[in-house]
Amino acid sequence: MRFGRVKLAAGVVALSALALGVVAARAQAPDRNVWTGVYTTEQAERGRDAYASQCAACHGGSLAGIDVAPALAGSTFLSNWNNTNAGDLHSRIQTTMPLQAPGSLGGRTVADIVAFMLQVNGMPAGELALPPNPALMRNVSITAREPEGLNEDGCTCE
Amino acid sequence: MARLNRRALLTGTALAFATVALAPMRKALAQRVSQDVPDTEWRHYAGDQASTRYAPLDQINAENFVDLQLAWSFKTDALGARKEYQFEPTPLHVKGRLFLTAGSRRDCVALDAATGELLWMYRLDEGQRARNSPRQLSGHGCSYWTDGTEERILFVTVGYQLVSLDAKTGRPDPAFGTDGIVDLKRNFDQEIDPETADVGLHATPLIARDTIVVGAAHTAGDQPRIRENVKGYVRGFDVRTGQRKWIFHTIPLKGEFGYNTWEEGLAEKAGNNGVWAEMSADEELGLVYLPVELATGDEVGIFRRREALFGESLVALDIETGERRWHYQFIHHGLWDHDLPCAPILCDIPVDGKTVKALAQPTKQSFLYVLDRTTGEPIWPIEERPVEAGDVPGEWYSPTQPFPTRPPAYDMQGVTEDDLIDFTPELRAEAVEFVKQFKIGPLFTPPVLSKPGRWGTIMMPGIQGGTNWPGGCYDPETHTVYVYSKSQPGVVGIIPNENMNVSEFPYVRGTYGIEPRPMMAMGAEMPQRPPAPPPANPRPGGQDEVGPTAPRSLSVQGLPLLKPPYGRITAIDLTKGEHRWQIAHGETPDDIREHPALKGLDIPRTGRAGNLGPLVTKTLVICGEAGFYTNEYGLRGAMLRGYDKMTGEEKGAVYMPAPQSGSPMTYMLGGRQYIVVAIGGGNYSAELMAFRLPGAA
């Protein structure tokens, strides 16, 4: 740790404490979980429309998939994305979909589509919308089931 | 089915790893590299033109399967402008080189089969034409041809062009087509726009007797936007010049055989009826076998009334002329999207003391149809039995459907109360109530008009099958077919449609109360949707009032509606037309293992739903898993599993970071056996993995 090299004896303890504080603050982006309400109902409604026009032709109106595209709902989706995070899912959609125009969907539209997918998979809506940027949802875990002992902040820790 | 309930020998990763840890000690001195063993090849997508996906190799066997280690891997991220996650090819192996298509642009590559080193790469940027294609990404692979001196690699691009490359250099063959390319959207007996027409292909071109046979694939037809789509004709080309030798009209022209099976005037206007599946060929008989899909409208057949050949038929053509020798229609006027998804397996089997040249066709409906491949006659009787008619105005219902008497279906067909989830009495009771909102019944129960309280018909298998594009494999020593199938039901309801922006069909697949949306072909321009679409299919009381709504998925407390297994492998003995064994394939999905309602229950491995192709060797059936699961170390991944081919008993499993996405193949090279498999999906981008046993390089 860079701060540890400071030689001023009097300052070492204080600076070390400060340094630890910085590191801790960085690590302390709250753990969130898709089962704690990470999108809004309005967002999922917009996502339903966006899904219909951008995704349904290949993944099906009921998200059940077709011969050449996987299901986006149910056991197939839940297990394939278990223990990843919403940022992974957002990035995957934004960079590769829709196939005829990858990269064409804005971050907000992708977030709306993700919200709709979460809703169809039984995850509850909440007060805060999913952000438009995958970097802002790396701390949103996707788990196939609601973890036991999940607190209001989406954390199973103390 | 008894085996489904037994605990597999290796239920978890830990036991497999424990065996791995011990094995090196046991095997430390074993000499695995035997230079006197000749190299073997894998010259076709499924091993050979018969589509057996069989190799008589046994260096990798039941005893050492768990010792397998990664020889090399090849990420495809840099092929194409973005990563790919749907990597479906099976590579070819010829003289120490692997050939395959890969990446989001479907580049064609040659790799060193011992090291994975890239030898050459061919890339064709087709711009908007490719982005408009109904079949994107890496596809199933490429094909090989040689006259003993010249060697060619052929594949179909995303934009539907047939390319012939010099296998040694990857450079286009100037003698083939125009600078090595044949534009498949031309000389197609129909005028279509090369930039936007709804046609492409994932399948490899089939090469037999110096003829290349190429099929056609189109956008799925649940809510077909237009009625007169591209016709999926099949063509034969000269492998040296790219000259068209013949064309077969899968939708017959007036005067051609089969035209009279359509109602007057409908064949002319129908589209699709292509061959999107892989094909097989018998060079000795001079026949190529075409698994045909349906004409436009997967679940609504009002514009393809009557039997409408060659829908959902297997057609045998003369390889030289493209003339039809015989056909067999597996479903008359299908309404279930159970088109033929994969190549028939050509097999010589003993029947009444004589060897018969037969074929076995795996299907979405989970029947294995076994026919004499010279004549198309069934080996065991196939009976026409009465089936129910539905209630969709203008639809035509076949009074009967063909039912094979042998072998028995290899997956669940139709739905009864007995098939419903039964982990606990509560779940069963809930499921019994749940299905009252739907029509259920045996196989070929028709789709019905969707209305509150009867939202549609529960189809089992669902529209994806059963078995899908990877098909099965076949062991010629024991005359056994191995086939993976998934048990995943689907709902098909039919709703009226008056919005021509959505579809030119007056009825489309859908659910009462939910406005149908257009299923746009990739190249089609999105119609300007009116701000408020005419409420042809209104919610009761208007859009704002909440009426009864259809369940979003076929589940009970978030658990699948039907009993496991959700994915299985069946061994079918063709000497008797009986099952030899059947096992659940794939670890129990995380969402089921972690479900609170199942806490404390001992659930045997449920298997996993997906699209998988198994491989069979001298002793083993080898197949990866269809989906990710989280193992006891907390790591996501999937296992490549090896089963005793005689009993189905699991002999070992090897960790892979992602599920199998393309079917495995195997070969001997330099005295060592390799197993190569394409993986990827979810958040893990495409990768080709090569496994072999430990040993000095």
Side-chain angles (χ1 to χ4, degrees):
Chain A
M1 201 167 294
R2 222 181 299 148
F3 289 100
R5 288 186 193 145
V6 177
K7 299 291 184 194
L8 285 171
V12 168
V13 173
L15 280 173
S16 297
L18 181 63
L20 283 170
V22 169
V23 171
R26 267 193 201 148
Q28 266 176 3
D31 288 330
R32 304 175 67 207
N33 185 292
V34 289
W35 292 94
T36 60
V38 297
Y39 66 90
T40 64
T41 308
E42 299 73 44
Q43 196 174 23
E45 279 304 312
R46 288 196 304 271
R48 178 196 306 278
D49 281 340
Y51 176 87
S53 58
Q54 304 291 345
C55 324
C58 294
H59 292 280
S62 61
L63 290 75
I66 59 168
D67 298 325
V68 293
L72 301 178
S75 190
T76 297
F77 172 79
L78 288 171
S79 290
N80 275 344
W81 287 88
N82 189 29
N83 295 323
T84 61
N85 65 66
D88 285 350
L89 181 55
H90 190 287
S91 304
R92 167 75 202 276
I93 295 170
Q94 192 164 34
T95 56
T96 67
M97 296 289 148
L99 281 180
Q100 75 274 28
S104 63
L105 301 179
R108 281 176 296 173
T109 302
V110 175
D112 292 348
I113 291 168
V114 172
F116 174 60
M117 289 167 63
L118 298 179
Q119 186 186 56
V120 171
N121 280 283
M123 290 131 185
E127 301 293 317
L128 190 61
L130 266 181
N133 181 343
L136 296 174
M137 48 181 123
R138 298 279 178 215
N139 61 332
V140 179
S141 300
I142 298 177
T143 57
R145 296 290 169 200
E146 183 174 349
E148 281 181 49
L150 201 64
N151 67 23
E152 281 177 358
D153 300 323
C155 181
T156 50
C157 48
E158 303 235 326
Chain B
M1 295 296 285
R3 289 194 178 278
L4 296 174
N5 293 322
R6 68 155 170 74
R7 275 287 199 188
L9 180 63
L10 301 171
T11 43
T13 326
L15 192 45
F17 285 179
T19 321
V20 172
L22 293 173
M25 286 183 274
R26 196 176 69 234
K27 290 283 174 188
L29 299 175
Q31 177 55 271
R32 291 213 177 85
V33 182
S34 37
Q35 294 294 344
D36 53 343
V37 181
D39 294 350
T40 63
E41 302 203 329
W42 188 278
R43 286 199 179 193
H44 298 267
Y45 169 74
D48 46 38
Q49 289 161 322
S51 300
T52 63
R53 208 176 279 130
Y54 164 77
L57 303 177
D58 66 349
Q59 187 181 71
I60 296 167
N61 55 43
E63 204 184 330
N64 60 26
F65 192 84
V66 292
D67 298 349
L68 283 177
Q69 58 189 35
L70 194 63
W72 51 263
S73 68
F74 181 82
K75 279 302 261 191
T76 74
D77 291 356
L79 301 172
R82 61 194 62 81
K83 294 178 186 179
E84 196 206 8
Y85 294 80
Q86 187 91 4
F87 184 38
E88 297 181 351
T90 297
L92 312 180
H93 175 238
V94 185
K95 296 177 188 158
R97 302 156 300 173
L98 294 187
F99 301 101
L100 67 150
T101 50
S104 54
R105 196 188 297 285
R106 197 180 303 167
D107 297 327
C108 190
V109 298
L111 306 179
D112 183 310
T115 63
E117 181 186 356
L118 182 63
L119 301 176
W120 57 252
M121 183 273 266
Y122 172 81
R123 166 185 179 275
L124 186 63
D125 185 348
E126 298 174 292
Q128 193 58 38
R129 174 174 170 143
R131 285 188 286 276
N132 290 343
S133 171
R135 290 295 186 279
Q136 306 260 342
L137 305 177
S138 52
H140 297 173
C142 55
S143 305
Y144 176 84
W145 173 86
T146 184
D147 60 4
T149 310
E150 298 297 325
E151 291 181 290
R152 296 285 176 267
I153 295 295
L154 293 109
F155 78 106
V156 177
T157 64
V158 172
Y160 204 49
Q161 304 195 70
L162 177 62
V163 181
S164 178
L165 304 172
D166 185 326
K168 295 179 182 74
T169 63
R171 295 205 176 91
D173 172 9
F176 185 89
T178 306
D179 300 327
I181 296 177
V182 169
D183 185 342
L184 292 168
K185 292 187 184 175
R186 300 185 192 279
N187 203 8
F188 203 11
D189 286 13
Q190 55 191 320
E191 285 305 314
I192 58 173
D193 183 333
E195 191 81 354
T196 60
D198 178 31
V199 61
L201 191 66
H202 272 161
T204 60
L206 179 136
I207 305 174
R209 285 199 191 177
D210 297 347
T211 300
I212 313 164
V213 186
V214 180
H218 316 271
T219 302
D222 288 331
Q223 287 115 30
R225 171 76 185 84
I226 55 169
R227 180 180 164 185
E228 297 185 44
N229 201 13
V230 178
K231 294 172 193 288
Y233 296 150
V234 177
R235 283 165 289 175
F237 298 90
D238 183 294
V239 74
R240 291 181 177 85
T241 64
Q243 286 287 317
R244 187 179 110 177
K245 290 175 75 172
W246 50 260
I247 186 165
F248 178 73
H249 300 127
T250 49
I251 299 171
L253 306 183
K254 195 162 194 168
E256 289 181 340
F257 182 92
Y259 179 80
N260 293 338
T261 64
W262 292 71
E263 251 184 35
E264 186 61 33
L266 291 184
E268 286 82 352
K269 289 179 180 290
N272 298 61
N273 241 31
V275 174
W276 57 265
E278 296 290 332
M279 295 177 261
S280 300
D282 184 329
E283 288 197 322
E284 210 177 289
L285 291 176
L287 296 179
V288 56
Y289 301 93
L290 278 51
V292 183
E293 60 155 4
L294 273 176
T296 315
D298 289 345
E299 297 90 7
V300 174
I302 51 186
F303 293 136
R304 51 176 174 82
R305 291 168 57 85
R306 301 191 49 219
E307 290 85 354
L309 290 175
F310 292 90
E312 292 179 347
S313 304
L314 187 67
V315 184
L317 302 184
D318 185 306
I319 295 172
E320 306 287 352
T321 64
E323 280 167 26
R324 187 196 67 95
R325 289 281 184 81
W326 59 260
H327 76 279
Y328 198 97
Q329 189 171 51
F330 296 126
I331 301 180
H332 309 311
H333 192 79
L335 300 169
W336 303 270
D337 196 14
H338 280 172
D339 48 356
L340 273 67
C342 59
I345 297 165
L346 311 190
C347 46
D348 296 344
I349 58 171
V351 180
D352 300 331
K354 283 190 296 192
T355 298
V356 172
K357 286 176 187 287
L359 63 80
Q361 175 71 58
T363 55
K364 288 185 172 181
Q365 59 270 30
S366 301
F367 275 131
L368 184 76
Y369 297 83
V370 187
L371 307 178
D372 182 318
R373 72 174 181 268
T374 310
T375 64
E377 291 298 316
I379 297 294
W380 293 285
I382 297 180
E383 297 173 352
E384 291 288 337
R385 295 182 194 157
V387 294
E388 188 182 337
D391 60 357
V392 177
E395 186 58 272
W396 188 88
Y397 295 96
S398 173
T400 63
Q401 293 291 354
F403 285 78
T405 53
R406 268 169 195 265
Y410 54 83
D411 209 310
M412 218 183 279
Q413 292 179 326
V415 180
T416 68
E417 270 193 19
D418 289 344
D419 301 320
L420 303 178
I421 184 172
D422 63 349
F423 292 131
T424 68
E426 293 74 25
L427 287 167
R428 164 56 70 90
E430 214 174 302
V432 168
E433 275 307 303
F434 179 89
V435 296
K436 287 179 181 165
Q437 313 169 72
F438 297 94
K439 183 174 177 64
I440 61 171
L443 186 69
F444 302 128
T445 298
V448 288
L449 289 172
S450 178
K451 59 185 184 186
R454 196 198 65 176
W455 302 106
T457 301
I458 299 183
M459 269 176 68
M460 183 62 213
I463 58 166
Q464 296 182 53
T467 302
N468 208 297
W469 59 266
C473 62
Y474 174 72
D475 174 15
E477 296 168 61
T478 61
H479 306 294
T480 305
V481 165
Y482 302 91
V483 64
Y484 167 87
S485 59
K486 63 174 172 288
S487 310
Q488 210 172 37
V491 175
V492 181
I494 305 296
I495 54 173
N497 167 58
E498 292 171 4
N499 186 347
M500 296 296 271
N501 278 339
V502 169
S503 173
E504 291 174 4
F505 280 57
Y507 289 88
V508 294
R509 182 180 175 193
T511 306
Y512 180 90
I514 298 175
E515 276 302 322
R517 308 281 187 168
M519 285 183 99
M520 301 306 299
M522 291 288 183
E525 205 172 308
M526 184 65 104
Q528 290 304 309
R529 212 183 305 136
N537 185 37
R539 284 177 187 276
Q543 291 289 329
D544 296 333
E545 195 172 313
V546 178
T549 51
R552 281 219 172 118
S553 63
L554 290 176
S555 61
V556 174
Q557 294 184 25
L559 289 164
L561 178 65
L562 303 185
K563 284 180 193 173
Y566 309 126
R568 61 187 96 192
I569 294 175
T570 308
I572 304 169
D573 178 356
L574 293 187
T575 65
K576 299 177 187 144
E578 291 172 359
H579 293 179
R580 195 186 287 279
W581 49 259
Q582 186 174 73
I583 53 160
H585 175 70
E587 193 49 84
T588 304
D590 290 355
D591 65 304
I592 291 167
R593 278 189 294 142
E594 295 170 9
H595 198 284
L598 307 182
K599 213 169 181 180
L601 294 180
D602 183 23
I603 311 274
R605 187 185 284 176
T606 62
R608 191 70 183 264
N611 294 325
L612 295 174
L615 161 72
V616 59
T617 68
K618 193 87 183 161
T619 52
L620 296 173
V621 173
I622 297 163
C623 194
E625 293 187 309
F628 289 92
Y629 77 98
T630 308
N631 64 27
E632 45 275 67
Y633 307 104
L635 289 175
R636 285 162 49 77
M639 304 302 276
L640 181 71
R641 298 186 187 275
Y643 302 99
D644 183 317
K645 76 177 182 185
M646 297 309 291
T647 66
E649 187 181 348
E650 184 167 318
K651 293 298 183 184
V654 179
Y655 174 79
M656 304 189 293
Q660 170 174 317
S661 52
S663 307
M665 50 83 78
T666 188
Y667 53 92
M668 288 296 292
L669 181 62
R672 305 178 79 170
Q673 186 184 354
Y674 292 76
I675 295 172
V676 176
V677 61
I679 67 165
N683 63 351
Y684 195 93
S685 64
E687 187 168 18
L688 193 67
M689 302 204 107
F691 295 96
R692 67 182 176 197
L693 295 169

